[in-house]
Amino acid sequence: MADTLRAPVREPASGAAPPRRAWTVVLAGLGALLCSLDVVVVSTALPALRADFGASLSDLEWTINAYNLVFACLTLTGAALGDRFGRRRMYVVGLAVFTAASAMAALAGSPGQLIAARVVQGAGAAVLLPLTLTLISDAFPAEKRGVAIGLWGGVTGLGVAAGPVLGGAVTEGLSWQWIFWLNVPTGLAMLPAAARRLRESHGPRPQLDVVGLLLAAIGLTGLSWAPVRAPEAGWGSAEALGALAVGVVFVAAFLGWEHTRARYPMLPLTHFRRRGFSTANGAAFLTFMSLLGSLFMISQLFQLGLGNSPLAAGVRILVWTGMPLLVAPLAGALADRFGNRPFMLAGLVLQAVGIGLLAWQVEPGVSYGSLVLPLVVAGVGISMVFPAVANAVTSSVPPEEAGVAAGVNNALRELGGVFGVAVAAAVFTRYGGYGSARSVVDGCGPALWVSAGAAAAGAVVAAFAPSRAGD
């Protein structure tokens, strides 16, 4: 019985396989859609939240970062719980928590209540999102996985694409609360389908590494807390430096525990000896640092700096964020044939060039026509990176380790997003502010240059990726 639980359950070769795989792609894609949507959907509602609650810049940051921080800190835990107690079971639990937290966010009456709801929502997403990739990896053989992950990346891209538009339309046509209410019927419809249609599987570890979970959670919280609080408290403050120190100490303790003491380590450190695993995760961190930092700025640039309504801003951003829906499935399929490195490298170069061109064009009264090409270039870039990174991570480890690989990848992605928003906000306040439309524009330009630099650094990392999976 124990051996049955330790081994991932494989689908028998039968006529029932394609429908089960189709359900896996659909439900995993919808789970990824909800999680990715709620990373960005709040961005176009930030001015409305500021007006409704009288929220400060710090409050606005926390509406995004509370979700991202908890997501980053607990995603390894979510992957480990899925391996131990069943991936389908924990997918359903994560979806239920996420749906309930969405209702809490919609009912929030103050910035503090909204931020608390976003914390719970992030905890649900930390269980939900890594299992979407694990479920796909378990259902598809390696030679067909790129196409499935490309579809997953396209749906994830739909979340990124729809977020600004949906947030703008709902904020302008109804109220900001409805950006959260919309999650509730979707989640309720998915729960029974997931419980009935997904195949159950387990990872190879019969016990949870509780000490490892605690050390990782505390360490990642410290590393995330420092950049989130630094723009307000100061990068040289005792709070920021203390949080960084705590994060470094506990991450080091986690690595030491995993290497020498853990009987069933939640993160085998030998994975990082694989170039495919380490370079893909480094590229993921820098991709999301660039993506979320620039999105945080661009959504406010269009509204507060250039005078667009929330809906108009979301539609204008669509030429950037809509690209993954069109390009990611094709990039995932081609990555199966030509390898992941070309798509990671080229995608990050295009993201850096696009955001850099955008930063160069930003000035008071700039026309939208001048910004379209940079946004399209950046959008094609992230479309190529999404499926290539996910495919590289899962294909660089044995199939039974897919849950751990997905957990690490998601943790670093969300941690990169936390750093991206925090660093962009710090640069924005250094060179501009909310005092006038001109000061918003003055702050957004330098912040976007920093986001472009993060993508360029990611391209350097991607250049060292192996040419073939498994290296």
Side-chain angles (χ1 to χ4, degrees):
M1 181 66 178
D3 291 338
T4 302
L5 291 176
R6 294 177 195 183
V9 178
R10 294 292 173 189
E11 187 175 270
S14 69
R20 179 61 62 90
R21 287 175 179 168
W23 273 107
T24 300
V25 172
V26 169
L27 290 168
L30 286 174
L33 171 65
L34 289 177
C35 295
S36 60
L37 187 66
D38 271 60
V39 172
V40 298
V41 72
V42 179
S43 60
T44 44
L46 292 176
L49 289 169
R50 183 168 175 261
D52 197 4
F53 288 146
S56 65
L57 175 63
S58 177
D59 291 331
L60 297 180
E61 282 186 81
W62 274 107
T63 60
I64 294 176
N65 278 336
Y67 179 86
N68 289 342
L69 188 151
V70 176
F71 200 162
C73 295
L74 295 184
T75 191
L76 278 175
T77 302
L81 290 172
D83 280 356
R84 174 63 183 88
F85 297 110
R87 292 157 179 168
R88 179 183 64 191
R89 180 181 301 161
M90 294 312 301
Y91 179 93
V92 171
V93 170
L95 179 60
V97 171
F98 184 91
T99 303
S102 296
M104 291 169 54
L107 295 170
S110 68
Q113 292 176 11
L114 178 58
I115 291 167
R118 292 283 281 170
V119 167
V120 180
Q121 204 177 29
V127 176
L128 184 60
L129 186 59
L131 295 180
T132 64
L133 195 54
T134 307
L135 289 164
I136 288 176
S137 297
D138 178 67
F140 288 84
E143 65 274 11
K144 297 182 179 180
R145 197 175 295 155
V147 176
I149 290 178
L151 292 171
W152 173 88
V155 175
T156 302
L158 175 62
V160 176
V165 178
L166 182 62
V170 170
T171 300
E172 189 173 331
L174 297 170
S175 68
W176 64 262
Q177 287 88 346
W178 279 93
I179 64 178
F180 298 109
W181 278 127
L182 291 176
N183 292 336
V184 177
T186 305
L188 291 176
M190 289 172 60
L191 283 168
R196 294 182 59 189
R197 299 293 183 178
L198 291 176
R199 184 181 61 229
E200 187 61 283
S201 65
H202 296 77
R205 295 165 185 80
Q207 296 179 8
L208 278 179
D209 178 14
V210 177
V211 174
L213 292 176
L214 292 175
L215 291 174
I218 295 172
L220 290 173
T221 299
L223 292 179
S224 304
W225 189 270
V228 168
R229 289 288 299 141
E232 184 173 344
W235 287 93
S237 66
E239 181 179 358
L241 293 177
L244 277 176
V246 169
V248 169
V249 168
F250 275 85
V251 167
F254 166 71
L255 296 176
W257 170 265
E258 296 295 292
H259 182 59
T260 62
R261 301 287 301 276
R263 184 178 181 186
Y264 300 102
M266 62 183 291
L267 176 57
L269 300 185
T270 53
H271 290 344
F272 286 98
R273 296 176 186 170
R274 302 171 182 264
R275 263 194 312 142
F277 185 81
S278 55
T279 53
N281 280 302
F285 177 90
L286 291 163
T287 296
F288 272 73
M289 183 176 178
S290 172
L291 175 61
L292 292 189
S294 54
L295 180 62
F296 182 73
M297 289 291 102
I298 290 170
S299 61
Q300 298 187 77
L301 169 68
F302 275 109
Q303 293 182 68
L304 302 178
L306 302 179
N308 294 292
S309 68
L311 177 57
V315 172
R316 283 164 170 77
I317 294 172
L318 189 61
V319 297
W320 173 35
T321 58
M323 287 297 109
L325 181 62
L326 303 175
V327 178
L330 177 62
L334 292 175
D336 275 342
R337 182 175 179 182
F338 298 106
N340 298 301
R341 181 173 64 184
F343 294 91
M344 285 195 289
L345 178 57
L348 280 158
V349 168
L350 290 175
Q351 167 76 351
V353 169
I355 298 301
L357 287 173
L358 191 71
W360 182 51
Q361 294 281 2
V362 167
E363 61 182 13
V366 63
S367 68
Y368 176 64
S370 301
L371 305 180
V372 170
L373 180 60
L375 288 170
V376 170
V377 170
V380 172
I382 60 173
S383 304
M384 298 168 71
V385 176
F386 283 168
V389 164
N391 199 18
V393 167
T394 55
S395 62
S396 64
V397 299
E400 64 271 14
E401 295 289 330
V404 170
V408 173
N409 184 244
N410 281 285
L412 290 173
R413 280 173 39 164
E414 299 310 317
L415 193 60
V418 169
F419 271 82
V421 172
V423 172
V427 175
F428 173 77
T429 55
R430 171 68 177 82
Y431 292 96
Y434 289 127
S436 65
R438 175 61 184 262
S439 64
V440 170
V441 174
D442 289 343
C444 283
L448 289 172
W449 277 118
V450 172
S451 295
V460 174
V461 174
F464 290 93
S467 57
R468 295 182 179 276
D471 292 345

